[in-house]
Amino acid sequence: MDLEPDTRERIICEKKGPVAKVTLNWPEKANAQDQKLAEEVDAALLDADRDYDIKVLVLRANGKGFCSGHAIGDNSTDYPAFVENSLVQGHPWKAQSDLFVKPTLNLWEFSKPTIAQVHGYCLGGGTHYGLTTDIVIASEDAYFSYPPLQGFGMPSGECSIEPWVFMNWRRAAYYLYTAEVVSAEKALEYGLVNEVVPRDELDDRVEAIARLIAQAPLTTLMLTKANIKRAWELMGMRVHWQTSNDLVVLASMSSDVQALIGQVLAGKIKPAEMAARQAAAADTDGAAAT
């Protein structure tokens, strides 16, 4: 049964026949993942997962790009749970796990097929939405990057998806260490996405794939998803994702990382911009050395 779109503060939820669509809808903030957006996406996933009329979930976005990653600014506004956790325990480990580990695992463990519809930027924590679905369809203008290593001193996100989505040691290392910007075509070559289509064909192509998948019985789809998912979990993916949050907390409390974070926050610099400055500084140092 088709329902009227449910517009919340940060997202829009739609159900049309067997397909549910969750649309990130905070374009004025580049669909950044503050606490409100992360919680709304997680709640929408839970609702669609428990709805027996839904067979396929599509995760998409309004605005110029898909998702710019974690909100960078005032934690008291963006992540009040982090502040509360730090005041009580001296660190944000549990709050980070609750907000960015468990929900990412919930997307991974969503019992039915999932499709990410990615256009424009998909950065940092936004790649947790854009690259951990079962299928990724990207427009020609899409690009992926993890700038917080160079731009904010973080070793990865709270869930370190990169070794798993790349399944290639050297590509994952290069991507993280250098804040590599991976174009849609390169992402297709790397196996990060399934298809690349013109921007004006993206909606129709994702809709067609979702409708095709939904022709199969719900039970078949859920069992196929479980079969694929468990293969990865037997290789240790789930424990690794949970462990990576420990390293992010350790990094955030380290003096050298705090120095970089302080520089970024004081200058109101985006991590992607800071990563670009780091690259320019390396070029300058290299030129001076020669």
Side-chain angles (χ1 to χ4, degrees):
M1 179 176 65
D2 293 356
L3 300 176
E4 290 297 317
D6 175 9
T7 301
R8 307 179 189 181
E9 288 189 51
R10 301 281 193 267
I11 67 172
I12 300 172
C13 301
E14 301 174 82
K15 293 179 180 179
K16 293 185 177 181
V19 179
K21 294 183 180 180
V22 177
T23 304
L24 308 183
N25 191 42
W26 203 25
E28 63 272 22
K29 295 293 185 179
N31 296 318
Q33 294 166 314
D34 71 342
Q35 183 170 328
K36 174 63 71 173
L37 185 140
E39 289 175 344
E40 287 189 357
V41 170
D42 196 37
L45 292 178
L46 178 62
D47 175 71
D49 196 41
R50 292 181 175 178
D51 187 336
Y52 289 104
D53 291 330
I54 297 302
K55 292 184 175 182
V56 182
L57 176 95
V58 175
L59 189 56
R60 57 196 295 275
N62 287 333
K64 296 180 180 179
F66 182 74
C67 180
S68 60
H70 292 4
I72 304 296
D74 182 357
N75 273 2
S76 64
T77 301
D78 296 330
Y79 307 110
F82 288 11
V83 176
E84 180 184 12
N85 192 179
S86 295
L87 287 173
V88 174
Q89 294 186 294
H91 57 75
W93 181 88
K94 184 181 186 301
Q96 287 185 183
S97 180
D98 288 344
L99 199 60
F100 289 118
V101 180
K102 293 176 183 176
T104 303
L105 285 169
N106 288 342
L107 175 58
W108 164 257
E109 293 175 342
F110 189 84
S111 65
K112 308 158 189 178
T114 55
I115 304 172
Q117 176 179 322
V118 181
H119 72 282
Y121 46 77
C122 184
L123 306 175
T127 60
H128 295 175
Y129 291 159
L131 294 175
T132 59
T133 54
D134 301 319
I135 292 172
V136 184
I137 308 299
S139 60
E140 292 172 335
D141 67 341
Y143 60 95
F144 305 84
S145 184
Y146 190 84
L149 186 146
Q150 287 288 347
F152 208 64
M154 292 295 104
S156 180
E158 291 84 357
C159 276
S160 185
I161 67 170
E162 293 78 20
W164 302 94
V165 299
F166 279 92
M167 282 305 287
N168 182 296
W169 176 3
R170 287 168 181 79
R171 282 180 177 169
Y174 189 83
Y175 173 79
L176 289 173
Y177 290 150
T178 68
E180 178 188 16
V181 177
V182 179
S183 67
E185 288 298 332
K186 185 178 286 188
L188 184 63
E189 175 190 338
Y190 285 176
L192 294 176
V193 306
N194 296 89
E195 294 184 18
V196 175
V197 300
R199 175 72 177 273
D200 60 2
E201 297 177 13
L202 185 59
D203 283 340
D204 290 343
R205 182 56 184 153
V206 170
E207 180 75 19
I209 294 170
R211 295 289 174 180
L212 172 59
I213 293 171
Q215 297 302 307
L218 176 60
T219 297
T220 304
L221 294 174
M222 293 174 70
L223 294 179
T224 301
K225 174 74 173 270
N227 197 32
I228 295 171
K229 183 175 62 181
R230 289 172 186 176
W232 292 87
E233 292 189 348
L234 285 168
M235 290 189 283
M237 189 210 75
R238 181 183 177 86
V239 173
H240 173 251
W241 281 14
Q242 292 171 312
T243 302
S244 60
N245 185 47
D246 304 347
L247 304 182
V248 170
V249 172
L250 177 62
S252 67
M253 300 177 72
S254 301
S255 59
D256 54 346
V257 174
Q258 287 183 349
L260 177 58
I261 292 174
Q263 184 181 353
V264 170
L265 294 180
K268 296 182 178 180
I269 307 166
K270 296 178 181 178
E273 180 185 349
M274 191 65 192
R277 293 187 185 185
Q278 301 274 66
D283 288 342
T284 301
D285 290 346
T290 57

